[in-house]
Amino acid sequence: MFKIEYFSKKKLPELTIELIGSFSIDGDLQYHADLSQLKYYIPPSDPNNIYYDLDYNAASTCHKPNSYIKLDDILRWISDNFNQLEKPLSPNERHWLSVDFVCRRGALKTIFSSPYKKYKGWIICASRYRGTIYLCEYYTDEGQLVNDKQNKLYSHGFKFEQYMVADHPAHKPDLSVSLNECEEFHCVFKTKFGDHSLLYAAEVDGISSEQPIEDTLIDKKFNIIEMKILPLHDKNGSLYGKLTPDRVAGWWSQNYLAGIDTTVCGLKVGNAVRMIKEYPTHILPQFSKVDCNMDKCKMFCKIFLDYVKRTVIKDHDECMYKFQWNPSTGDIVHYSEECPNNEMYTFLKPWFTSRAEKHKFPMNVRN
């Protein structure tokens, strides 16, 4: 185990973000290297006077399965883009790709918001392959317990997005189409966070763009929009001092990691959204009921990644590293070395490493 120790004089890491790609997941959870699931944000004409029934046509909704999705889609994108990620002019086979870590944004969001989590812990497993550490988040026992009320809230979130997006910036949202929660669009980011370089995929609710984008998002003019629903607290839609710090830290981290400047909130009464408010990311900490310091979130993540980089030294076929944290233990993170073929935690798939070996080291691969 190790302890997260905060140092007031320690330099806070800066995050620099580069969008390097994207992909789509269709209604059957199949991967597509295209923009087929990209959606455009269509704000209502009168955001202070709307009625979006979040249970509308609910019987026809195709719900997202609760089974845990690992890194398969990210590995697929990497395997299609090896040339883009290779270290230039590097003969060093032990550190092949130009990033230290590969993961989902969700894993980083979980780490960032840890200082303010009160109830749910986390498990993050790490596997090292040719110098890059792959991170995958797993549910703890209590994290797996998703009840009917929570499932309904998740579905309401997807429904709200359907009211707010269209497949073209000149079109209106189409509520006649049955909602399929499996459909997703992801942006792939390469970032620098202090001394660490990371590659991660982030699901995107929609973008704001005056023109349709048909080939690639790279070097195009648009803004990523994040969407949330919350109870309408007062007639002005004010959220100041209304939210728990763990929720605020999660929202802020989610936006921070994808360079998102705007969160669109659907404020609801009962099961209907009645008002839309747009909030810039930098004011989100002000919505917390108690002080919520994002610098503490940054430092927690930096110290954790520092430790993982020092600790994960054995290759993926030798062992898997399991890091576990629980709110009851405060700043203590436990870790263990697991069998590399432990089916419960294995996520670095043989098809990926085989494809990588054939691409980079064909002379080492037996026919």
Side-chain angles (χ1 to χ4, degrees), residues 6 12-15 104-117 122 124 191-194 198 200 245-246 248-254 256-258 292-302 304-305 325:
Y6 302 96
L12 283 170
E14 297 294 331
L15 182 72
R104 291 184 177 277
R105 176 184 56 173
L108 293 173
K109 171 188 169 184
T110 293
I111 299 166
F112 264 88
S113 55
S114 296
Y116 295 101
K117 286 183 176 291
W122 48 255
I124 293 177
T191 69
K192 286 286 292 183
F193 182 62
L198 306 98
Y200 49 85
D246 59 323
V248 169
W251 283 17
W252 179 90
S253 302
Q254 194 173 16
Y256 176 70
L257 290 163
C292 192
N293 187 345
M294 298 302 103
D295 287 347
K296 191 172 184 180
C297 296
K298 293 179 185 179
M299 191 55 70
F300 187 103
C301 186
K302 178 197 174 345
F304 177 75
L305 293 179
W325 175 87

Side-chain angles (χ1 to χ4, degrees), residues 2 68 71 101-114 117 121-127 133-140 198 300-301 304-305 307-308 311-312 320-326 333-338 344-347:
F2 74 100
Y68 193 75
L71 298 188
F101 296 96
V102 170
C103 59
R104 291 184 177 277
R105 176 184 56 173
L108 293 173
K109 171 188 169 184
T110 293
I111 299 166
F112 264 88
S113 55
S114 296
K117 286 183 176 291
W122 48 255
I123 293 172
I124 293 177
C125 290
S127 282
I133 299 171
Y134 295 77
L135 302 175
C136 188
E137 181 182 4
Y138 287 83
Y139 300 123
T140 57
L198 306 98
F300 187 103
C301 186
F304 177 75
L305 293 179
Y307 186 79
V308 171
T311 304
V312 179
M320 163 142 6
Y321 295 81
K322 177 183 173 185
F323 298 88
Q324 189 162 2
W325 175 87
N326 191 285
V333 178
H334 295 269
Y335 91 96
S336 60
E337 296 184 8
E338 304 287 332
M344 179 178 293
Y345 297 115
T346 298
F347 61 89

Side-chain angles (χ1 to χ4, degrees), residues 311-359:
T311 304
V312 179
I313 57 176
K314 297 179 183 179
D315 286 338
H316 72 288
D317 54 356
E318 296 181 68
C319 88
M320 163 142 6
Y321 295 81
K322 177 183 173 185
F323 298 88
Q324 189 162 2
W325 175 87
N326 191 285
S328 64
T329 63
D331 295 323
I332 302 297
V333 178
H334 295 269
Y335 91 96
S336 60
E337 296 184 8
E338 304 287 332
C339 177
N341 58 359
N342 184 331
E343 292 185 3
M344 179 178 293
Y345 297 115
T346 298
F347 61 89
L348 196 59
K349 299 300 180 63
W351 65 260
F352 171 75
T353 55
S354 176
R355 191 177 296 184
E357 295 296 320
K358 289 178 181 178
H359 170 83

Side-chain angles (χ1 to χ4, degrees), residues 47 58 72-73 94 115 123-124 164 182 196 216 245 252 302 366:
D72 290 29
D73 49 8
R94 298 196 63 178
I123 293 172
I124 293 177
M164 301 299 295
C182 298
H196 306 300
T216 177
W252 179 90
K302 178 197 174 345
R366 295 179 180 178

